[in-house]
């Protein structure tokens, strides 16, 4: 991930609803959630939710799959890993072994 992609991702996550959506989709895991379920859970109007989902999708933090007439959304774990890797790529003054405990905490089998 380059700096421009990272800035776009941080800008997307700097809005409360989008951050809530991203965290909700991380919790949902492999099952994901439909746009309607996300809207209902967070109490956000569907047209507003659609805009927020589009912004998150463009940053690579979420992905979607069409299911008939609805769309199911998922946290894009590769996008999240890319953002975290960007943050940590120069950690510990060139001594990555010092960062290993943090990296181990972040790694999941998702």
């Amino acid at each position: 991930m380059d700096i421009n992609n990272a800035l776009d991702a941080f800008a997307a996550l700097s809005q409360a609803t989008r951050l809530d959506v991203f965290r909700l989709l991380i919790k949902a895991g492999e099952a994901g959630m439909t746009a309607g379920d996300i809207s209902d859970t967070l109490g956000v109007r569907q047209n507003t939710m659609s805009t927020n989902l589009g912004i998150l999708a463009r940053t690579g933090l979420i992905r979607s799959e069409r299911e008939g007439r609805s769309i199911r959304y998922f946290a894009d774990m590769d996008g999240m890993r890319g953002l975290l890797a960007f943050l940590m790529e120069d950690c510990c003054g060139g001594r990555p072994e010092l960062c290993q405990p943090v990296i181990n905490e972040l790694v999941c089998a998702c």
Side-chain angles (χ1 to χ4, degrees), residues 8 14 16 18 29 32-33 37 49-50 58 64 72 79 90 96 102:
D8 289 342
S14 70
R18 291 191 292 266
M33 295 179 75
D37 289 341
M49 184 56 65
S50 177
R58 283 190 294 280
S64 62
R72 184 167 296 273
D90 296 321
V102 173

Side-chain angles (χ1 to χ4, degrees), residues 12-60:
L13 294 173
S14 70
Q15 197 272 345
T17 300
R18 291 191 292 266
L19 182 59
D20 289 344
V21 168
F22 185 64
R23 292 179 54 127
L24 183 63
L25 290 174
I26 288 173
K27 289 178 191 175
E30 292 180 9
M33 295 179 75
T34 64
D37 289 341
I38 296 168
S39 293
D40 292 345
T41 300
L42 297 178
V44 177
R45 291 187 335 214
Q46 288 189 5
N47 62 338
T48 302
M49 184 56 65
S50 177
T51 300
N52 286 317
L53 290 168
I55 291 168
L56 287 167
R58 283 190 294 280
T59 65

Side-chain angles (χ1 to χ4, degrees), residues 1-7 9-10 13 22 59-62 75-90 106-107:
M1 177 172 287
D2 66 23
I3 191 166
N4 292 322
N5 297 119
L7 288 171
F10 286 125
L13 294 173
F22 185 64
T59 65
L61 293 173
I62 68 171
D76 188 319
M77 302 312 279
D78 289 334
M80 183 178 71
R81 283 185 194 100
L83 183 59
L84 294 172
F86 173 83
L87 287 173
M88 298 188 72
E89 72 184 19
D90 296 321
L106 296 173
V107 174

